[in-house]
């Protein structure tokens, strides 16, 4: 699309469903563009196979690389090496989730994901990552992130990678708090892990640079009345907490989830998220110190078709609207004129 979110190409099929299985699902695509203009897309895929008496499943993480015009540079390629088809919930079944990709200063991509293993009565979840170049070649194969504290081993969730302003890559995940470290272009750990303490359990974190070394972290958290959007700002170099855990006013009846950050030119960022019941999209802007510039507001109500498809459409809509929102004056975000009801809780109309 262009900066207004208008399509500049037709629909491009990156990964289809023509494989010889009874079902193929592609989930949670994440994308990033490198300085040379190429675009990496990463996701996880589930295969369904019926053997005549039972359903068996297989999951893996995949990626592809496009050029700036949408041409295929690297076709869909598997990163992980899970070849096992198992029954749902079987002991040892591997699941993949929360795939994230970020570009580096030297035209490479870091792809991270969560691997869960069903142990029968227990679960374990760890962060893995790999590095590919702009042409899709493997620079660093599957790597288990092993710098996590003891309590994070087997309990690391929702990883996210983000390119910092100095060209290095932030790797963050949740384990009851927010853990983060800094990786080199090739995936080496440059800065040991640090912890951002969170009161309550953060879910589906996102992270992006907002000013110099300052990084904005966002997440959602369950409270008694619904789901709250929270954030904090940390200096990634020193670990200094610039803005501690901050809870935003809850929108709608049940709050929201699935935050996504779009950095603004210069400093600051737009944060978007969806209603927990998938009925609207919310947004706010913050500056590089974590001060709210434009308070949380509902800026678009999703259509019936979007509601039927759930957050798959909502997340796509986030990407579609990031650029137009970022072009609005940073003093105020404008909501949909149809949304002038009490759900805005006094926010800007």
């Amino acid at each position: 699309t262009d900066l207004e979110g208008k399509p500049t190409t037709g629909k491009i099929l990156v990964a289809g469903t023509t494989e010889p299985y009874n079902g193929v699902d592609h989930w949670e695509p994440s994308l990033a563009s490198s300085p040379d203009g190429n675009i990496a897309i990463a996701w996880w895929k589930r295969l369904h196979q019926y053997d005549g008496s039972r359903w068996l499943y297989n999951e893996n993480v995949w990626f592809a690389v496009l050029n700036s015009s949408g041409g295929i540079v690297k076709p869909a390629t598997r990163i992980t090496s899970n070849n096992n088809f198992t029954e749902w919930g079987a002991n040892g079944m591997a699941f993949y989730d929360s795939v994230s990709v970020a570009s580096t200063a030297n035209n490479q991509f870091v792809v991270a994901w969560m691997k869960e293993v069903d142990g029968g009565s227990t679960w374990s979840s760890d962060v893995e990552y790999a590095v590919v170049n702009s042409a899709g070649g493997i620079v660093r194969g599957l790597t288990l992130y092993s710098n996590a504290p003891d309590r994070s081993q087997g309990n690391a969730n929702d990883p996210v990678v983000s390119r910092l302003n100095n060209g290095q890559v932030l790797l963050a995940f949740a384990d009851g708090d927010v853990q983060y470290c800094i990786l080199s272009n090739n995936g080496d750990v440059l800065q040991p892990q640090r912890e951002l303490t969170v009161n309550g359990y953060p879910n589906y974190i996102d992270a992006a640079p907002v000013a110099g070394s300052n990084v904005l972290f966002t997440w959602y958290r369950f409270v008694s009345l619904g789901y709250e959007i929270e954030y904090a700002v940390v200096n990634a170099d020193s670990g200094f907490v610039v803005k501690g855990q901050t809870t935003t006013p809850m929108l709608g009846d049940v709050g929201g989830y699935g935050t996504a950050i779009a950095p603004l030119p210069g400093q600051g960022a737009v944060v978007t998220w969806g209603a927990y019941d998938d009925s609207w999209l919310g947004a706010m802007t913050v500056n590089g110190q974590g001060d709210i510039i434009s308070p949380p507001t509902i800026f678009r109500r999703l259509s019936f078709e979007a509601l039927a498809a759930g957050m798959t459409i909502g997340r796509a809509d986030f990407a579609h609207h990031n650029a137009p929102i970022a072009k609005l004056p940073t003093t105020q975000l404008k909501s949909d004129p149809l949304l002038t009801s009490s759900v805005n809780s006094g926010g800007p109309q």
Side-chain angles (χ1 to χ4, degrees), residues 69-345:
S69 299
I72 302 292
V73 175
K74 178 73 171 182
T77 302
R78 191 173 73 168
I79 300 179
T80 52
S81 56
N82 178 26
N83 296 317
N84 296 325
F85 279 79
T86 57
E87 288 186 272
W88 193 263
N91 192 2
M93 181 178 182
F95 297 84
Y96 295 90
D97 203 345
S98 302
V99 179
S100 178
V101 60
S103 65
T104 68
N106 65 337
N107 296 313
Q108 296 185 159
F109 298 99
V110 177
V111 184
W113 59 89
M114 176 176 68
K115 178 182 180 180
E116 299 177 274
V117 177
D118 189 341
S121 60
T122 61
W123 283 79
S124 67
S125 56
D126 289 293
V127 172
E128 297 178 336
Y129 66 94
V131 181
V132 301
N133 61 30
S134 185
I138 301 295
V139 175
R140 185 188 191 108
L142 187 155
T143 302
L144 173 66
Y145 177 67
S146 58
N147 285 60
D150 290 342
R151 69 169 188 176
S152 295
Q153 296 295 336
N155 186 39
N157 300 284
D158 307 331
V160 62
V161 284
S162 181
R163 186 172 73 177
L164 300 174
N165 287 330
N166 63 6
Q168 296 168 349
V169 175
L170 179 93
L171 168 63
F173 61 91
D175 69 345
D177 293 300
V178 174
Q179 308 288 342
Y180 65 97
C181 71
I182 295 177
L183 305 177
S184 71
N185 293 333
N186 294 321
D188 298 319
V189 178
L190 297 179
Q191 176 190 283
Q193 185 170 302
R194 291 192 173 108
E195 178 177 286
L196 170 64
T197 302
V198 175
N199 178 24
Y201 200 99
N203 294 278
Y204 289 96
I205 64 173
D206 197 9
V210 286
S213 298
N214 287 0
V215 173
L216 172 67
F217 293 92
T218 60
W219 61 87
Y220 80 91
R221 186 171 65 89
F222 175 75
V223 294
S224 59
L225 298 178
Y227 297 84
E228 294 180 332
I229 303 301
E230 297 187 328
Y231 71 94
V233 174
V234 175
N235 185 291
D237 289 339
S238 66
F240 176 73
V241 178
V242 178
K243 184 84 168 183
Q245 180 178 358
T246 302
T247 303
T248 65
M250 185 183 296
L251 297 178
D253 296 327
V254 294
Y257 78 130
T259 57
I261 303 172
L264 291 166
Q267 69 164 335
V270 175
V271 182
T272 55
W273 62 92
Y276 200 78
D277 61 4
D278 298 337
S279 62
W280 47 259
L281 300 174
M284 67 177 180
T285 57
V286 299
N287 65 21
Q289 307 302 310
D291 301 315
I292 292 179
I293 302 172
S294 182
T297 187
I298 296 173
F299 75 91
R300 181 172 179 184
R301 187 173 296 280
L302 295 180
S303 66
F304 175 80
E305 291 79 8
L307 288 175
M311 285 305 297
T312 301
I313 298 296
R315 288 178 185 270
D317 215 288
F318 292 163
H320 179 82
H321 282 82
N322 276 343
I325 296 174
K327 293 179 66 177
L328 291 173
T330 55
T331 55
Q332 185 179 14
L333 283 172
K334 297 183 182 296
S335 65
D336 188 315
L338 297 177
L339 302 177
T340 55
S341 67
S342 60
V343 294
N344 281 299
S345 302

